[in-house]
Amino acid sequence: MALLAACGGGGTTSAAPQPPGAPGYPVGLTTQTIQSGGVTRQFRIHVPPALQAPRAIVFVLHGGGGLGMGVADTGAHPLSVFRPVADREGFVVVYPGGLPAPSGDVGWNDCRSDNFNGSSADDVRFLADLVDLIKSTYGLPSTRVFMAGGSNGGLMSFAFAFNHPQRIAAIAVSSANLPENPKSGACTSGLQQPLPVLMTHGTLDPQMPYGGGCVADFGGACLRGRVTSAQATRNWWLTLNGLASAQPTETVIERSANDAGPANRFVYAGARPVQWWRLDGAGHSAASRTVLIPTTVDNGAQNRDIEFAEVAWEFFASLLP
Protein backbone atom coordinates (compact mmCIF):
# COMPACT_ATOMS: atom_id res chain seq x y z
CA MET A 1 0.00 0.00 0.00
CA ALA A 2 1.26 3.48 -0.83
CA LEU A 3 1.38 5.80 2.17
CA LEU A 4 1.73 9.57 1.96
CA ALA A 5 2.95 12.21 4.35
CA ALA A 6 3.63 15.91 4.13
CA CYS A 7 7.18 17.17 4.49
CA GLY A 8 7.39 20.24 6.68
CA GLY A 9 10.18 22.68 7.36
CA GLY A 10 13.28 23.42 5.36
CA GLY A 11 11.31 25.44 2.83
CA THR A 12 9.81 22.34 1.22
CA THR A 13 6.19 23.43 1.61
CA SER A 14 4.62 26.40 -0.16
CA ALA A 15 0.86 26.19 0.03
CA ALA A 16 -2.35 27.85 1.11
CA PRO A 17 -5.05 26.04 3.10
CA GLN A 18 -7.27 23.69 1.14
CA PRO A 19 -10.80 25.05 0.51
CA PRO A 20 -13.55 23.38 2.59
CA GLY A 21 -14.75 20.20 0.94
CA ALA A 22 -11.92 20.01 -1.60
CA PRO A 23 -10.25 16.59 -1.78
CA GLY A 24 -6.59 15.73 -1.83
CA TYR A 25 -3.63 18.00 -1.20
CA PRO A 26 -3.22 21.62 -0.09
CA VAL A 27 -3.55 24.40 -2.64
CA GLY A 28 -0.27 25.51 -4.14
CA LEU A 29 3.03 23.64 -4.39
CA THR A 30 3.89 21.23 -1.59
CA THR A 31 6.46 18.49 -1.09
CA GLN A 32 5.11 15.08 -0.09
CA THR A 33 6.44 11.56 0.45
CA ILE A 34 5.30 8.08 -0.47
CA GLN A 35 6.57 4.64 0.52
CA SER A 36 7.34 2.54 -2.55
CA GLY A 37 9.02 -0.84 -2.30
CA GLY A 38 10.20 -0.03 1.21
CA VAL A 39 11.84 3.22 0.08
CA THR A 40 10.70 6.72 1.01
CA ARG A 41 10.30 8.71 -2.18
CA GLN A 42 9.51 12.39 -2.60
CA PHE A 43 7.28 14.23 -5.00
CA ARG A 44 5.96 17.75 -5.32
CA ILE A 45 2.35 18.43 -6.18
CA HIS A 46 0.75 21.64 -7.42
CA VAL A 47 -2.97 22.14 -6.85
CA PRO A 48 -4.64 25.19 -8.44
CA PRO A 49 -6.54 27.59 -6.16
CA ALA A 50 -10.13 26.65 -5.34
CA LEU A 51 -9.88 23.43 -7.34
CA GLN A 52 -12.75 21.07 -6.54
CA ALA A 53 -12.67 18.54 -9.41
CA PRO A 54 -9.52 18.47 -11.54
CA ARG A 55 -9.91 17.89 -15.27
CA ALA A 56 -6.76 15.77 -15.32
CA ILE A 57 -3.50 14.86 -13.60
CA VAL A 58 -0.18 15.52 -15.34
CA PHE A 59 3.00 13.88 -14.01
CA VAL A 60 6.10 15.87 -15.01
CA LEU A 61 9.50 14.12 -14.83
CA HIS A 62 12.66 16.16 -14.44
CA GLY A 63 15.83 15.42 -16.38
CA GLY A 64 18.97 13.80 -15.02
CA GLY A 65 21.84 15.54 -13.27
CA GLY A 66 20.12 18.90 -13.01
CA LEU A 67 17.60 20.57 -10.73
CA GLY A 68 15.64 17.45 -9.82
CA MET A 69 12.28 18.41 -8.35
CA GLY A 70 13.53 22.02 -8.42
CA VAL A 71 12.21 22.17 -11.99
CA ALA A 72 8.85 22.89 -10.35
CA ASP A 73 10.05 26.22 -8.92
CA THR A 74 8.63 29.22 -10.73
CA GLY A 75 11.06 30.47 -13.36
CA ALA A 76 13.69 27.81 -12.64
CA HIS A 77 13.01 25.59 -15.64
CA PRO A 78 10.60 25.39 -18.60
CA LEU A 79 8.88 22.43 -16.89
CA SER A 80 7.71 24.82 -14.17
CA VAL A 81 5.35 26.37 -16.73
CA PHE A 82 3.01 23.40 -16.27
CA ARG A 83 1.95 25.09 -13.01
CA PRO A 84 0.45 28.31 -14.45
CA VAL A 85 -1.06 26.24 -17.26
CA ALA A 86 -2.66 24.03 -14.59
CA ASP A 87 -4.02 27.09 -12.76
CA ARG A 88 -5.64 28.31 -15.96
CA GLU A 89 -6.91 24.94 -17.18
CA GLY A 90 -7.84 23.25 -13.91
CA PHE A 91 -5.61 20.20 -13.59
CA VAL A 92 -3.20 18.88 -10.96
CA VAL A 93 0.55 18.71 -11.66
CA VAL A 94 2.81 16.18 -9.94
CA TYR A 95 6.62 16.42 -10.03
CA PRO A 96 8.10 13.06 -8.91
CA GLY A 97 11.68 13.02 -7.64
CA GLY A 98 14.36 10.70 -8.96
CA LEU A 99 17.12 9.31 -6.75
CA PRO A 100 20.90 9.87 -6.93
CA ALA A 101 23.02 7.64 -9.13
CA PRO A 102 26.51 6.51 -7.99
CA SER A 103 27.83 9.71 -9.57
CA GLY A 104 25.63 11.73 -7.21
CA ASP A 105 23.44 13.07 -10.02
CA VAL A 106 19.71 12.76 -9.45
CA GLY A 107 17.98 10.91 -12.27
CA TRP A 108 15.83 8.03 -13.46
CA ASN A 109 16.43 4.34 -14.10
CA ASP A 110 15.00 4.20 -17.62
CA CYS A 111 15.20 1.54 -20.35
CA ARG A 112 18.88 2.02 -21.30
CA SER A 113 20.86 -1.16 -20.55
CA ASP A 114 24.17 0.61 -21.27
CA ASN A 115 23.73 3.64 -19.00
CA PHE A 116 26.54 3.02 -16.51
CA ASN A 117 26.02 6.39 -14.81
CA GLY A 118 22.33 5.85 -14.08
CA SER A 119 20.34 5.23 -10.93
CA SER A 120 19.47 1.65 -9.97
CA ALA A 121 16.19 2.61 -8.26
CA ASP A 122 12.95 0.83 -9.09
CA ASP A 123 11.48 3.93 -10.69
CA VAL A 124 8.86 2.07 -12.69
CA ARG A 125 7.36 0.78 -9.45
CA PHE A 126 7.66 4.17 -7.77
CA LEU A 127 5.83 5.92 -10.58
CA ALA A 128 3.16 3.20 -10.72
CA ASP A 129 2.57 3.54 -6.97
CA LEU A 130 2.47 7.33 -7.26
CA VAL A 131 0.11 7.32 -10.24
CA ASP A 132 -2.23 4.97 -8.41
CA LEU A 133 -2.14 7.13 -5.27
CA ILE A 134 -2.92 10.42 -7.00
CA LYS A 135 -5.56 8.85 -9.24
CA SER A 136 -7.27 7.39 -6.19
CA THR A 137 -7.03 10.65 -4.28
CA TYR A 138 -8.86 12.58 -6.98
CA GLY A 139 -11.03 9.75 -8.25
CA LEU A 140 -9.90 10.09 -11.85
CA PRO A 141 -9.63 7.30 -14.44
CA SER A 142 -6.53 6.57 -16.48
CA THR A 143 -8.10 8.39 -19.44
CA ARG A 144 -7.41 11.62 -17.54
CA VAL A 145 -3.84 10.84 -16.47
CA PHE A 146 -0.85 12.01 -18.52
CA MET A 147 2.94 11.99 -18.24
CA ALA A 148 5.52 14.43 -19.58
CA GLY A 149 9.28 14.59 -19.20
CA GLY A 150 12.46 16.11 -20.50
CA SER A 151 15.71 14.32 -21.39
CA ASN A 152 16.20 11.51 -18.83
CA GLY A 153 12.64 12.27 -17.71
CA GLY A 154 11.49 11.75 -21.29
CA LEU A 155 13.29 8.43 -21.45
CA MET A 156 11.63 7.49 -18.16
CA SER A 157 8.25 8.44 -19.62
CA PHE A 158 8.92 5.97 -22.43
CA ALA A 159 9.94 3.32 -19.89
CA PHE A 160 6.82 3.84 -17.81
CA ALA A 161 4.60 3.69 -20.88
CA PHE A 162 6.23 0.41 -21.92
CA ASN A 163 5.57 -1.13 -18.51
CA HIS A 164 2.20 0.41 -17.56
CA PRO A 165 0.36 1.75 -20.62
CA GLN A 166 -2.99 1.08 -18.95
CA ARG A 167 -2.25 3.64 -16.23
CA ILE A 168 -1.91 6.69 -18.52
CA ALA A 169 -3.68 8.17 -21.54
CA ALA A 170 -0.68 9.73 -23.35
CA ILE A 171 2.87 11.00 -22.93
CA ALA A 172 4.80 14.07 -24.09
CA VAL A 173 8.59 14.19 -24.17
CA SER A 174 11.22 16.82 -24.83
CA SER A 175 14.69 15.82 -26.07
CA ALA A 176 14.37 12.05 -25.61
CA ASN A 177 14.96 9.18 -28.04
CA LEU A 178 14.37 5.48 -27.62
CA PRO A 179 17.40 3.48 -26.38
CA GLU A 180 19.48 1.62 -28.92
CA ASN A 181 20.27 -1.12 -26.40
CA PRO A 182 17.17 -1.52 -24.22
CA LYS A 183 16.91 -3.65 -21.11
CA SER A 184 15.17 -7.01 -21.37
CA GLY A 185 11.48 -7.42 -20.69
CA ALA A 186 9.04 -4.62 -21.40
CA CYS A 187 11.83 -2.26 -22.45
CA THR A 188 12.70 -4.63 -25.31
CA SER A 189 9.24 -5.88 -26.23
CA GLY A 190 7.87 -2.36 -26.05
CA LEU A 191 4.25 -1.41 -25.88
CA GLN A 192 1.66 -3.99 -26.78
CA GLN A 193 -1.01 -1.36 -27.39
CA PRO A 194 -1.06 2.06 -29.11
CA LEU A 195 -0.57 5.18 -27.01
CA PRO A 196 -0.78 8.83 -28.13
CA VAL A 197 2.57 10.61 -27.96
CA LEU A 198 3.99 14.09 -28.50
CA MET A 199 7.73 14.55 -29.04
CA THR A 200 9.91 17.65 -29.46
CA HIS A 201 13.57 17.54 -30.41
CA GLY A 202 16.24 20.05 -31.40
CA THR A 203 18.29 19.21 -34.49
CA LEU A 204 21.52 20.36 -32.81
CA ASP A 205 21.04 18.75 -29.41
CA PRO A 206 24.54 18.05 -27.99
CA GLN A 207 23.26 15.74 -25.22
CA MET A 208 20.49 13.65 -26.79
CA PRO A 209 21.76 13.51 -30.38
CA TYR A 210 19.07 14.13 -32.97
CA GLY A 211 20.71 11.63 -35.30
CA GLY A 212 21.21 9.04 -32.57
CA GLY A 213 24.35 7.91 -30.75
CA CYS A 214 25.90 8.36 -27.32
CA VAL A 215 23.98 10.36 -24.71
CA ALA A 216 25.78 13.36 -23.17
CA ASP A 217 29.08 11.89 -24.24
CA PHE A 218 31.28 14.76 -23.09
CA GLY A 219 34.00 12.44 -21.80
CA GLY A 220 34.08 10.29 -24.91
CA ALA A 221 33.43 6.95 -23.12
CA CYS A 222 29.72 6.68 -23.96
CA LEU A 223 28.91 5.81 -20.34
CA ARG A 224 25.32 7.02 -20.57
CA GLY A 225 24.34 4.65 -23.32
CA ARG A 226 23.21 5.02 -26.88
CA VAL A 227 19.88 6.09 -28.36
CA THR A 228 18.28 5.80 -31.77
CA SER A 229 17.63 8.92 -33.84
CA ALA A 230 14.71 11.30 -33.33
CA GLN A 231 13.29 10.23 -36.68
CA ALA A 232 13.63 6.52 -35.86
CA THR A 233 11.92 7.16 -32.52
CA ARG A 234 9.08 8.94 -34.33
CA ASN A 235 8.78 6.12 -36.86
CA TRP A 236 8.61 3.50 -34.10
CA TRP A 237 5.62 5.27 -32.54
CA LEU A 238 3.97 5.79 -35.92
CA THR A 239 4.17 2.07 -36.61
CA LEU A 240 2.86 1.19 -33.15
CA ASN A 241 -0.08 3.58 -33.52
CA GLY A 242 -0.99 2.37 -37.02
CA LEU A 243 0.13 5.62 -38.66
CA ALA A 244 3.17 4.47 -40.67
CA SER A 245 1.53 5.46 -43.95
CA ALA A 246 -0.21 8.57 -42.64
CA GLN A 247 0.59 11.92 -44.25
CA PRO A 248 1.22 14.55 -41.57
CA THR A 249 -0.17 18.06 -41.44
CA GLU A 250 2.84 20.37 -41.27
CA THR A 251 3.00 23.77 -39.57
CA VAL A 252 6.00 26.08 -39.26
CA ILE A 253 6.04 28.36 -36.21
CA GLU A 254 8.54 31.22 -36.08
CA ARG A 255 7.75 33.65 -33.27
CA SER A 256 11.21 34.50 -31.98
CA ALA A 257 14.05 36.09 -33.88
CA ASN A 258 16.39 35.36 -30.96
CA ASP A 259 16.68 31.60 -31.35
CA ALA A 260 18.35 29.31 -33.86
CA GLY A 261 15.39 28.50 -36.10
CA PRO A 262 11.68 27.71 -36.39
CA ALA A 263 9.60 25.01 -34.74
CA ASN A 264 8.15 22.55 -37.24
CA ARG A 265 5.06 20.64 -36.14
CA PHE A 266 4.02 17.38 -37.82
CA VAL A 267 0.58 16.08 -36.81
CA TYR A 268 -0.23 12.45 -37.62
CA ALA A 269 -3.96 12.23 -37.00
CA GLY A 270 -5.71 9.07 -35.89
CA ALA A 271 -7.35 7.33 -32.97
CA ARG A 272 -3.92 7.32 -31.27
CA PRO A 273 -2.28 10.44 -32.71
CA VAL A 274 1.41 11.24 -32.92
CA GLN A 275 2.60 14.83 -32.79
CA TRP A 276 6.26 15.39 -33.64
CA TRP A 277 8.12 18.68 -33.40
CA ARG A 278 11.43 19.29 -35.18
CA LEU A 279 13.12 22.33 -33.64
CA ASP A 280 15.56 23.57 -36.25
CA GLY A 281 18.95 24.56 -34.84
CA ALA A 282 17.81 24.01 -31.26
CA GLY A 283 19.74 22.22 -28.55
CA HIS A 284 18.80 20.25 -25.46
CA SER A 285 16.77 22.66 -23.32
CA ALA A 286 12.99 22.32 -23.38
CA ALA A 287 11.42 24.91 -25.65
CA SER A 288 10.00 27.93 -23.86
CA ARG A 289 8.91 31.50 -24.46
CA THR A 290 8.87 32.44 -20.78
CA VAL A 291 11.74 30.60 -19.04
CA LEU A 292 14.74 31.46 -21.16
CA ILE A 293 17.85 29.26 -20.94
CA PRO A 294 21.18 30.76 -22.08
CA THR A 295 23.04 29.10 -24.94
CA THR A 296 25.97 26.95 -23.79
CA VAL A 297 28.24 24.37 -25.36
CA ASP A 298 26.63 21.60 -23.32
CA ASN A 299 23.02 22.65 -23.99
CA GLY A 300 23.09 24.39 -27.33
CA ALA A 301 20.49 27.03 -28.18
CA GLN A 302 16.94 26.96 -26.81
CA ASN A 303 13.94 27.12 -29.12
CA ARG A 304 11.80 30.10 -28.10
CA ASP A 305 9.00 29.80 -30.64
CA ILE A 306 6.84 27.44 -28.57
CA GLU A 307 6.18 26.61 -24.93
CA PHE A 308 6.65 22.90 -24.28
CA ALA A 309 4.18 22.88 -21.38
CA GLU A 310 1.55 24.62 -23.50
CA VAL A 311 1.83 22.34 -26.53
CA ALA A 312 1.92 19.26 -24.28
CA TRP A 313 -1.24 20.30 -22.45
CA GLU A 314 -3.00 21.23 -25.70
CA PHE A 315 -2.22 17.70 -26.93
CA PHE A 316 -3.39 16.10 -23.68
CA ALA A 317 -6.57 18.19 -23.56
CA SER A 318 -7.49 17.10 -27.08
CA LEU A 319 -7.60 13.51 -25.78
CA LEU A 320 -9.83 14.07 -22.76
CA PRO A 321 -13.08 12.09 -22.81
Side-chain angles (χ1 to χ4, degrees):
M1 176 180 294
L3 304 176
L4 67 95
C7 291
T12 60
T13 300
S14 173
Q18 189 76 342
Y25 296 85
V27 167
L29 180 67
T30 61
T31 300
Q32 310 286 339
T33 62
I34 179 176
Q35 293 293 319
S36 176
V39 179
T40 301
R41 302 293 298 263
Q42 288 190 323
F43 64 98
R44 302 179 82 180
I45 183 166
H46 176 80
V47 178
L51 184 71
Q52 296 291 323
R55 295 175 64 192
I57 304 165
V58 179
F59 292 83
V60 180
L61 308 188
H62 61 75
L67 296 173
M69 291 189 302
V71 299
D73 294 335
T74 300
H77 191 279
L79 295 181
S80 69
V81 180
F82 277 97
R83 291 175 57 203
V85 176
D87 289 345
R88 185 188 72 221
E89 300 291 338
F91 62 90
V92 170
V93 189
V94 182
Y95 293 88
L99 292 178
S103 64
D105 293 335
V106 174
W108 301 103
N109 184 8
D110 57 53
C111 277
R112 286 171 289 171
S113 67
D114 49 1
N115 178 17
F116 301 107
N117 283 347
S119 167
S120 60
D122 190 351
D123 288 323
V124 169
R125 176 172 180 171
F126 162 50
L127 292 175
D129 287 344
L130 185 57
V131 167
D132 288 349
L133 172 64
I134 307 300
K135 280 172 55 181
S136 175
T137 298
Y138 289 100
L140 292 184
S142 296
T143 53
R144 293 183 177 272
V145 178
F146 305 96
M147 186 170 286
S151 188
N152 182 203
L155 284 163
M156 191 64 222
S157 298
F158 287 147
F160 186 77
F162 286 3
N163 283 272
H164 296 293
Q166 74 282 0
R167 280 180 161 90
I168 51 177
I171 61 173
V173 305
S174 167
S175 305
N177 294 338
L178 292 172
E180 186 175 298
N181 303 299
K183 296 174 182 176
S184 61
C187 288
T188 294
S189 60
L191 276 166
Q192 303 303 308
Q193 63 186 65
L195 188 74
V197 61
L198 178 146
M199 295 167 282
T200 70
H201 208 120
T203 60
L204 295 180
D205 187 336
Q207 297 194 43
M208 189 72 61
Y210 180 84
C214 295
V215 175
D217 191 29
F218 302 125
C222 203
L223 294 177
R224 292 178 173 84
R226 297 180 61 88
V227 291
T228 64
S229 70
Q231 292 174 322
T233 298
R234 175 202 61 192
N235 292 344
W236 188 93
W237 284 97
L238 288 174
T239 299
L240 174 72
N241 289 6
L243 299 170
S245 60
Q247 293 300 310
T249 300
E250 301 179 29
T251 306
V252 178
I253 300 175
E254 178 71 86
R255 294 194 181 102
S256 174
N258 297 317
D259 64 2
N264 306 273
R265 180 178 61 192
F266 300 82
V267 176
Y268 300 83
R272 300 293 186 270
V274 172
Q275 190 174 134
W276 187 69
W277 291 80
R278 189 189 72 224
L279 310 179
D280 290 346
H284 192 65
S285 300
S288 182
R289 293 177 53 77
T290 57
V291 181
L292 305 183
I293 308 298
T295 299
T296 65
V297 172
D298 289 352
N299 283 327
Q302 182 188 33
N303 178 275
R304 297 175 179 176
D305 297 309
I306 63 171
E307 189 76 56
F308 174 70
E310 292 280 7
V311 299
W313 170 250
E314 181 182 7
F315 180 69
F316 294 156
S318 72
L319 302 168
L320 288 173

